Amino acid sequence: MKYTLKTFGITRDILGGREVDFEMDGMKVSELKSELAARFPEMKSLNSLLIAVNNQYAADDLILAETDEIALIPPVSGG
Amino acid sequence: MKYTLKTFGITRDILGGREVDFEMDGMKVSELKSELAARFPEMKSLNSLLIAVNNQYAADDLILAETDEIALIPPVSGG
Amino acid sequence: MIKITEKAIDVQKVIETASSLSAGAVNVFVGTVRNKSHDKNVVWLEYEAYEAMAVAEIRKIIDEAAHKWDLLGWAVSHRIGTLKPGEVAVVVAVSSPHRKASFEACQFIIDNVKAKAPIWKKEVFEDGGEWVDARPISASMNN
Amino acid sequence: MIKITEKAIDVQKVIETASSLSAGAVNVFVGTVRNKSHDKNVVWLEYEAYEAMAVAEIRKIIDEAAHKWDLLGWAVSHRIGTLKPGEVAVVVAVSSPHRKASFEACQFIIDNVKAKAPIWKKEVFEDGGEWVDARPISASMNN
């Protein structure tokens, strides 16, 4: 499957792009997270990583569609 | 003794003046309070009455001097 | 800055006075005139203050707050005179390195200003006026 | 009103948006850029937001606050882009009939905005920049 990942904050520095194409076999949010950690070891140094799908925080077992808006949410620090 | 009383809020309506001369024999804050209640019975309807002497809230046993700045402080309601 | 004033309060200016370059948090309380009180329409409010003493009392309150919390800046401005509904009667602003302290200190200051500062307001309704909290509610409602 | 903006925030306007003629109390939190962080001089801050989602998350937080407290008005404005020390990064304002609710609701909103809204800041020091809270402190301090 081929997904497009929106990146923010430190994840943009790590993945090197505002929108990054990402191919993998898995379809679950949990699989996306492990694939990211495998391909970008620096991701493991983050305090946390959430995945947002279509503007909502997503649970680990959510199934991703190629058309979903998928975003990497490193620890937030607004305010 | 002859004192000058500054009045505020409802005490001004009751005593009828911004600064009111007040003669009495007593010299204590407590005596001033009872004299006020005796001469202006409406004073008894207030939720509270404090006396300020020289810009400080005064205790009941404080002795008043004729030169003191004496103010009647009915329940405050700022803000 | 402690100010008792007959002029309209510039909220932005009060906030700027309380701000500090080393403070990340400013909490501000703005007290405004409500258009209703006890279900009656408020036409206007009359505020009066025993000015010298009010400033002294507010200063004591600020000193106490500065002792309890890490304050980097503060400002209190209270209006007196005739105020219409919607107008600003009081502004308290405090800044501190962290936001929790700014909330707590600001609430402490406004609570104490309302309880202790010699300032009074008279609510003027269509059918007459009344000094707020001067008498028990049952008595004042019969006026 | 919920606003994510690159322009300087007009605090007075945010307060007016949150005010209501039937509210006696407005509480306002103003978050500003500090000139120091971890004892180092902050040259500037970079804020970025996942805008659509940030607005949606803030709306959820407001809905939750409006459910808990009697709110008559509210406004949240968050700045993004490059900010210098002293500049306003975020303003939360809420109005309610009584002051206690205004303090509690405002604190609830800013606490949750900071914890949940997808907004990030990078502190830029004289010797480089760092995304705040992204990594454990020990790791980030060694950078």
Side-chain angles (χ1 to χ4, degrees), chain B residues 24-41:
Chain B
M24 65 169 192
D25 296 331
M27 296 177 70
K28 279 191 189 169
V29 165
S30 56
E31 292 166 317
L32 170 60
K33 283 184 181 172
S34 11
E35 272 301 309
L36 281 166
R39 292 186 218 173
F40 302 96

Side-chain angles (χ1 to χ4, degrees), chain D residues 37-38 42 44-45 121-125 128-132:
Chain D
S37 180
H38 302 295
V42 172
W44 76 78
L45 254 60
K121 63 170 166 264
K122 183 187 219 165
E123 288 173 338
V124 180
F125 303 103
E130 199 165 306
W131 290 102
V132 175

Side-chain angles (χ1 to χ4, degrees), chain D residues 85-119:
Chain D
E87 286 195 89
V88 172
V90 62
V91 179
V92 175
V94 300
S95 65
S96 61
H98 300 290
R99 69 185 181 282
K100 191 161 176 284
S102 74
F103 276 95
E104 290 176 355
C106 186
Q107 190 162 9
F108 174 88
I109 293 167
I110 185 65
D111 284 354
N112 278 281
V113 165
K114 282 177 176 255
K116 296 179 188 166
I119 302 173

